[in-house]
Amino acid sequence: MERPSTPPSKPISRPNISPLTPEVTRRIEENRLRAKALREAAIAREGAESTSTTRTTPSGFAIPQSAPQDLSSTSRKRAHASISTSDIPSTSRDARTTAQKPDDGISPARKFKKYVDHDFSKMVDTKGGFLTAEDDPWNKALHAPKEGEKPAHMTLKEWERHQLLRDLRQRKEGPFEPGLSVLGEKGRGEKCRECGGLEVDWLWVEVFKCAVCGVCKEKFPERYSLLTKTEAKDDYLLTDPELKDDELLPHLSKPNPHKSHWHDMNLFLRYQVEEYAFKTKWGSAEALDAEFEKRELEKKQRKEAKFKSKLKELKKKTRTDAYRRNLKNGNREGQFGDIIGTGKHEHEWGATVETADGMTVKTCVECGMEVEELEF
């Protein structure tokens, strides 16, 4: 079988182009010369315009006649000396010279200013109305500084520094901690009552009149741990007047850890509370335990008496049920707890009993019916 082959391409037939005639050649040459003349005339006209009095910018825009003659100044930035001046207008904003505005408190929105008569953030409840310091300038209660409030003449940073220094001074820490001294100066010759060291807790010396170091506090928690007011009342049976007497039982005040707006927490030193409770008030630890058991017994008796009184009131309220029970039983005197029947038997199940097979069974007290139960 013969392999197919591509047929030969057909020859391209070109039209017969006749040569240019002398007339056509002459016209082409005339058009070329005419276009050349027009181009030369346009170049000459542009050159004449550039030498005229009309000036243009490098971008091609025309410069007015009132502009300065120095064309180079139009393409450069103005010098700093030409724009700098010492007479700065009041409307100029410069962040470097802007003074910090005083804190005037809460101010109303601009569109609501004409409707607001008072600044509610500065009002004080005088129990006779909400007033401001401007309303009554002679009222000392309104103008007196509040405790814990930032004074008006202090900045925020100054107020924070003042609070920090006050806390350090109260705790006698940092720069307010007394220096160590072996001399017998007053307030500086304190030694730890356990180990005899000089690095005592000066806050405890001032509050509890007890010189002890931090190591001994951790070493003997049964003596130097702190008790709350509730623990002192519940465990040692102390009263509020005794705990409020600073000469009898000094206490250390700390912020409440549960809620910051609650009253401060009063902490008492354990060995001072035990010495007063065992030696002064109750006489011994055994007497304190006996008193504690006595109070617990009285509390239990009061609880039982309260339950019985409530049960008695409940019996009085159920006299109607007793009357109906008597009518049902033929005026027979009924007992409290009897079931008021409706003609149908109601099972009264007894206690569950485990059989020999391991099943749990309960039996009706009246009819003796047994029911198996599964306990999970």
Side-chain angles (χ1 to χ4, degrees):
M1 182 177 179
E2 295 182 0
R3 183 177 180 182
S5 60
T6 305
S9 59
K10 295 181 180 181
I12 300 174
S13 60
R14 295 181 180 180
N16 295 328
I17 301 175
S18 60
L20 298 177
T21 60
E23 182 65 20
V24 175
T25 304
R26 183 180 62 79
R27 289 180 181 179
I28 293 174
E29 186 66 19
E30 288 178 357
N31 292 334
R32 188 183 66 80
L33 294 176
R34 190 180 293 110
K36 183 178 180 181
L38 292 175
R39 177 62 179 168
E40 290 177 357
I43 294 174
R45 187 167 54 255
E46 291 179 359
E49 290 178 357
S50 63
T51 57
S52 63
T53 56
T54 304
R55 297 176 299 169
T56 59
T57 62
S59 302
F61 297 98
I63 301 176
Q65 297 294 333
S66 60
Q69 297 297 326
D70 187 6
L71 296 178
S72 61
S73 63
T74 60
S75 60
R76 296 199 312 266
K77 294 177 65 176
R78 289 181 295 171
H80 182 268
S82 63
I83 61 176
S84 63
T85 175
S86 59
D87 300 332
I88 301 176
S90 59
T91 57
S92 178
R93 295 183 179 182
D94 190 355
R96 298 170 298 177
T97 59
T98 303
Q100 187 176 3
K101 295 182 179 180
D103 186 9
D104 297 332
I106 302 174
S107 59
R110 183 181 299 176
K111 60 181 180 179
F112 295 118
K113 276 189 175 180
K114 59 183 179 180
Y115 301 106
V116 177
D117 297 329
H118 300 283
D119 186 357
F120 296 103
S121 64
K122 297 180 181 179
M123 284 192 173
V124 179
D125 186 8
T126 60
K127 308 302 181 183
F130 290 88
L131 302 176
T132 59
E134 290 80 5
D135 296 333
D136 192 359
W138 306 106
N139 193 332
K140 295 182 180 180
L142 293 177
H143 293 272
K146 296 181 180 179
E147 184 179 358
E149 185 178 355
K150 181 179 77 67
H153 65 278
M154 277 190 181
T155 61
L156 185 59
K157 290 185 177 180
E158 293 175 349
W159 175 240
E160 291 177 354
R161 177 177 174 80
H162 173 73
Q163 288 181 316
L164 177 61
L165 293 176
R166 183 188 60 187
D167 295 341
L168 292 177
R169 188 181 295 109
Q170 290 178 355
R171 298 194 303 265
K172 291 187 177 297
E173 296 179 357
F176 302 100
E177 182 179 0
L180 300 178
S181 176
V182 296
L183 302 178
E185 301 179 9
K186 184 179 180 181
R188 292 179 178 268
E190 300 288 349
K191 293 184 179 180
C192 178
R193 54 184 295 171
E194 297 291 342
C195 63
L198 298 177
E199 296 183 357
V200 298
D201 191 337
W202 296 103
L203 181 62
W204 281 33
V205 173
E206 181 179 359
V207 176
F208 297 118
K209 306 298 186 293
C210 174
V212 64
C213 62
V215 178
C216 293
K217 285 193 296 183
E218 299 293 336
K219 187 177 180 181
F220 304 103
E222 67 277 1
R223 290 177 54 80
Y224 302 108
S225 58
L226 298 177
L227 300 175
T228 62
K229 185 177 180 180
T230 304
E231 292 174 344
K233 292 172 63 177
D234 295 344
D235 298 343
Y236 298 94
L237 306 180
L238 301 181
T239 60
D240 285 332
E242 294 171 342
L243 296 174
K244 290 181 180 178
D245 191 351
D246 293 336
E247 296 181 357
L248 186 63
L249 291 173
H251 64 272
L252 176 64
S253 297
K254 283 190 176 182
N256 198 302
H258 302 287
K259 297 288 184 179
S260 59
H261 59 275
W262 286 359
H263 290 291
D264 290 344
M265 182 173 54
N266 296 332
L267 301 176
F268 301 87
L269 196 56
R270 180 179 291 274
Y271 88 90
Q272 293 180 352
V273 174
E274 289 181 351
E275 285 182 357
Y276 173 75
F278 295 160
K279 298 180 181 179
T280 305
K281 185 170 185 178
W282 303 113
S284 63
E286 292 76 11
L288 175 61
D289 294 338
E291 180 67 21
F292 183 81
E293 293 177 359
K294 176 184 175 183
R295 293 190 181 187
E296 288 294 325
L297 181 60
E298 292 176 354
K299 186 189 298 183
K300 185 178 179 180
Q301 291 176 354
R302 288 195 301 268
K303 188 175 180 180
E304 291 178 355
K306 184 178 180 181
F307 174 75
K308 290 181 179 180
S309 63
K310 288 187 176 181
L311 185 60
K312 188 176 181 180
E313 293 178 1
L314 182 61
K315 289 180 179 181
K316 291 180 181 180
K317 293 179 181 179
T318 56
R319 284 180 178 177
T320 305
D321 294 341
Y323 178 73
R324 292 170 54 195
R325 187 182 303 111
N326 293 338
L327 292 178
K328 189 70 176 177
N329 297 333
N331 292 329
R332 182 179 60 84
E333 184 179 358
Q335 299 296 329
F336 181 79
D338 291 347
I339 299 175
I340 301 176
T342 58
K344 295 182 181 180
H345 173 64
E346 295 182 3
H347 295 290
E348 184 178 356
W349 305 107
T352 57
V353 180
E354 186 176 355
T355 62
D357 300 336
M359 299 299 295
T360 304
V361 179
K362 63 180 181 179
T363 307
C364 178
V365 178
E366 296 181 1
C367 65
M369 180 179 178
E370 296 183 354
V371 177
E372 295 182 354
E373 282 189 348
L374 294 177
E375 294 183 359
F376 296 98

